[in-house]
Amino acid sequence: MAFALNVPKLSFTGEGAVEESVAILSQKNLKKALVVSDKNLVDLGILDSLFSALKDADFDYVVFSEVTPNPTASLVRKGASFYKESECDCFIAVGGGSPVDCAKAIRIVTSNEGDICDFDGVGLVKNEGAFFIAINTTAGTSAEMTSNSVITDEDNAVKMVIVDAKQIPDIAVNDPTLMIGLPKSVTAATGMDALTHAIESYVTPGAHTLTKPTALEAIRLIAKWLPVAVEDGSNLNAREQMACAQFLAGMSFNSAGLGLVHAMAHQPGATHDLPHGVCNAILLPVVCEFNSETNPEPFRAVAEAMGGITFDLNDAQAATLAVELINKLSIEVGIPSGFSELSIAETDLEVWIDKAMADVCLGGNPRQPNPEEVLALYKKAM
Ligand SMILES: [Fe+2]
C-alpha cells in the first residue's frame, strides 16, 4: 500500500503569519468567521493581532471563547449551535491543542449528520467542512496541522480520538510572537508533548523514509531549544525554533502514527484533567525503556538527536542513554517526576488499563503490551 503523507495545503511560519493567513481568507467568497479560542488568551491580548487583521480586511467574525483544557463533547455541541445561530461560514481557531481540537470537532458536526461522539475512531468523517485557519499559540501539539482531534466524552469519562485527514486545517499558522507570553510550565509540557510525538513516530513500525528525517530534526531542535524557551520565554528565536520543531514532529506523527505513550497518557488526562504534555512527559521514558527491551536499535538515533555520543555503545546501551537524556531534559524543564506528585493514587491506575488497551494510538506502538504490562508501566510512572 502506498504511503500517505498528510499535511495542510498551506502553512505560514514566522512573524506576520497571522496577517498573511487573513489576507488569504479575505480573498475567499466568505462572510463571517467563528473564532474559537479560550477566555484566557482573549484576556491576555493574544488575539489582538488577529482582530486587527480581520477589521483591516473588513471581515466579520464572532468569538466563541469558552474552550477549556480537555474540551468536552457538550462544549462542541454548544459551539456548533453558536456557529449556526451566528450564520458563520468559516473557522479561525486560536490556541494550543484544546481550542484547535474543539474547532475541528465543531467543524465536523456543522458539516456532517450526527453527534460528535459518532465520529470517535478512524476515517468516519464524510464531509470536510468549512474553510479553516488554525493559529497555534503553543509549541506544541501540532493540532494546527494534524488529522486528529481529542475530545472528552464526559458521560463515559473517555477521551475520544477522532482521526481523519478531513480535519486538517486549510491554513496552519505559527507566529512565534504569539508564544512569547506562554508560562514556563505550559512551554515545558507542550514541548515535551512535541518530543513524544517525534520519538513515538520515529520508533513506530508506521515510520517512513518521508517521516523519519522530520522526527529526528524535531528531536534535535527540542533538545537544544526547549530549555532555552522555558528559561527565557521572550527569546523569539527559541520560540520560533520550537514552533518549527513541533511542526516537524507533526509532519511525522500525522502520517506515521503514535504509540503506547499517548495511549496511556490519554487516560489520566480524561479522568483527572491533567495536562496532556505532562502525562506524556512522565510516561515517555518508561515506555521507551519498555519498547527498547525488544528492539533497541531505533533508540540509537534518538539518543544521537538528543546530543548523546553513541559510537562506543551497543544498541541496548544507546537506548539506555536515550532514556537518560529524556529524563534529564524533563528534570531540566521542571516536569513532575511521577503521577504521585499529581495527587494520583495507585488505586486510580486500574481504571485506566482497559481504556489504554482500547486507545487508537496503541496500534502504532512497536511492542504490543498486555494489560498486566500496562499496569506495571503505570506503576513505574508513579
Ligand atoms: Fe500529544
Side-chain angles (χ1 to χ4, degrees), residues 194-204 207 212 215-224 284-285 288-289 291-292 295-310 313 315 317-327 329 366:
L195 181 69
T196 308
H197 296 155
I199 293 176
E200 291 214 281
S201 66
Y202 184 76
V203 304
T204 177
K212 288 182 181 181
L216 287 180
E217 181 62 3
I219 296 167
R220 192 187 70 77
L221 287 170
I222 293 163
K224 182 174 179 182
L284 180 62
C288 284
E289 199 173 16
N291 285 338
S292 68
N295 183 17
E297 187 273 331
F299 291 93
R300 175 181 290 278
V302 173
E304 288 168 357
M306 294 201 67
I309 312 272
T310 64
L313 304 180
D315 284 349
Q317 290 167 328
T320 301
L321 177 61
V323 172
E324 286 170 6
L325 292 171
I326 294 165
N327 273 320
L329 181 62

Side-chain angles (χ1 to χ4, degrees), residues 237-274:
N237 186 40
R239 292 294 191 188
E240 184 154 2
Q241 295 303 319
M242 279 305 299
C244 291
Q246 64 90 40
F247 192 92
L248 288 165
M251 285 176 73
S252 177
F253 90 81
N254 195 44
S255 299
L258 291 169
L260 180 58
V261 182
H262 272 76
M264 291 178 67
H266 287 149
Q267 314 321 322
T271 58
H272 290 73
D273 223 18
L274 298 178

Side-chain angles (χ1 to χ4, degrees), residues 160-223:
M160 302 184 291
V161 183
I162 302 168
V163 184
D164 198 306
K166 294 188 191 79
Q167 290 186 97
I168 296 177
D170 294 284
I171 306 180
V173 175
N174 275 283
D175 183 337
T177 62
L178 303 186
M179 301 168 186
I180 288 292
L182 211 60
K184 279 184 193 292
S185 60
V186 182
T187 303
T190 53
M192 292 303 288
D193 183 28
L195 181 69
T196 308
H197 296 155
I199 293 176
E200 291 214 281
S201 66
Y202 184 76
V203 304
T204 177
H208 189 269
T209 308
L210 291 173
T211 60
K212 288 182 181 181
T214 61
L216 287 180
E217 181 62 3
I219 296 167
R220 192 187 70 77
L221 287 170
I222 293 163

Side-chain angles (χ1 to χ4, degrees), residues 46-372:
I46 302 291
L47 283 78
D48 288 355
S49 61
L50 171 67
F51 294 152
S52 297
L54 288 167
K55 278 169 192 152
D56 290 348
D58 205 18
F59 199 95
D60 199 7
Y61 65 92
V62 287
V63 181
F64 181 69
S65 61
E66 295 179 37
V67 182
T68 49
N70 301 316
T72 59
S74 56
L75 187 74
V76 171
R77 293 177 199 120
K78 192 172 179 186
S81 299
F82 187 54
Y83 177 89
K84 286 175 187 163
E85 282 161 19
S86 307
E87 300 183 342
C88 296
D89 57 6
C90 55
F91 290 92
I92 304 174
V94 187
S98 298
V100 176
D101 281 8
C102 191
K104 284 176 177 172
I106 296 170
R107 182 172 176 244
I108 289 173
V109 294
T110 50
S111 57
N112 291 273
E113 293 290 321
D115 183 72
I116 191 60
C117 296
D118 300 335
F119 299 93
D120 183 18
V122 181
L124 300 175
V125 180
K126 191 173 167 207
N127 302 314
E128 191 172 89
F131 191 79
F132 181 17
I133 297 173
I135 300 171
N136 185 21
T137 62
T138 67
T141 62
S142 315
E144 82 284 4
M145 56 86 70
T146 61
S147 313
N148 312 317
S149 57
V150 181
I151 301 294
T152 300
D153 172 4
E154 64 270 52
D155 293 339
N156 296 299
V158 67
K159 279 206 168 189
M160 302 184 291
V161 183
I162 302 168
V163 184
D164 198 306
K166 294 188 191 79
Q167 290 186 97
I168 296 177
D170 294 284
I171 306 180
V173 175
N174 275 283
D175 183 337
T177 62
L178 303 186
M179 301 168 186
I180 288 292
L182 211 60
K184 279 184 193 292
S185 60
V186 182
T187 303
T190 53
M192 292 303 288
D193 183 28
L195 181 69
T196 308
H197 296 155
I199 293 176
E200 291 214 281
S201 66
Y202 184 76
V203 304
T204 177
H208 189 269
T209 308
L210 291 173
T211 60
K212 288 182 181 181
T214 61
L216 287 180
E217 181 62 3
I219 296 167
R220 192 187 70 77
L221 287 170
I222 293 163
K224 182 174 179 182
W225 291 105
L226 181 59
V228 183
V230 170
E231 179 61 30
D232 177 12
S234 63
N235 184 322
L236 198 60
N237 186 40
R239 292 294 191 188
E240 184 154 2
Q241 295 303 319
M242 279 305 299
C244 291
Q246 64 90 40
F247 192 92
L248 288 165
M251 285 176 73
S252 177
F253 90 81
N254 195 44
S255 299
L258 291 169
L260 180 58
V261 182
H262 272 76
M264 291 178 67
H266 287 149
Q267 314 321 322
T271 58
H272 290 73
D273 223 18
L274 298 178
H276 173 67
V278 171
C279 297
N280 274 329
I282 289 171
L283 289 160
L284 180 62
V286 175
V287 172
C288 284
E289 199 173 16
F290 173 77
N291 285 338
S292 68
E293 282 168 12
T294 47
N295 183 17
E297 187 273 331
F299 291 93
R300 175 181 290 278
V302 173
E304 288 168 357
M306 294 201 67
I309 312 272
T310 64
F311 71 89
D312 59 346
L313 304 180
N314 63 33
D315 284 349
Q317 290 167 328
T320 301
L321 177 61
V323 172
E324 286 170 6
L325 292 171
I326 294 165
N327 273 320
K328 184 166 167 276
L329 181 62
S330 259
I331 292 166
E332 192 176 357
V333 300
I335 297 288
S337 63
F339 287 122
S340 54
E341 271 188 47
L342 301 166
S343 307
I344 301 291
E346 290 230 354
T347 46
D348 294 320
L349 306 180
E350 295 270 351
V351 180
W352 300 340
I353 299 168
D354 288 349
K355 287 172 179 168
M357 291 296 294
D359 191 282
V360 70
C361 293
L362 182 64
N365 202 61
R367 179 183 180 186
Q368 291 302 301
N370 61 40
E372 291 73 30

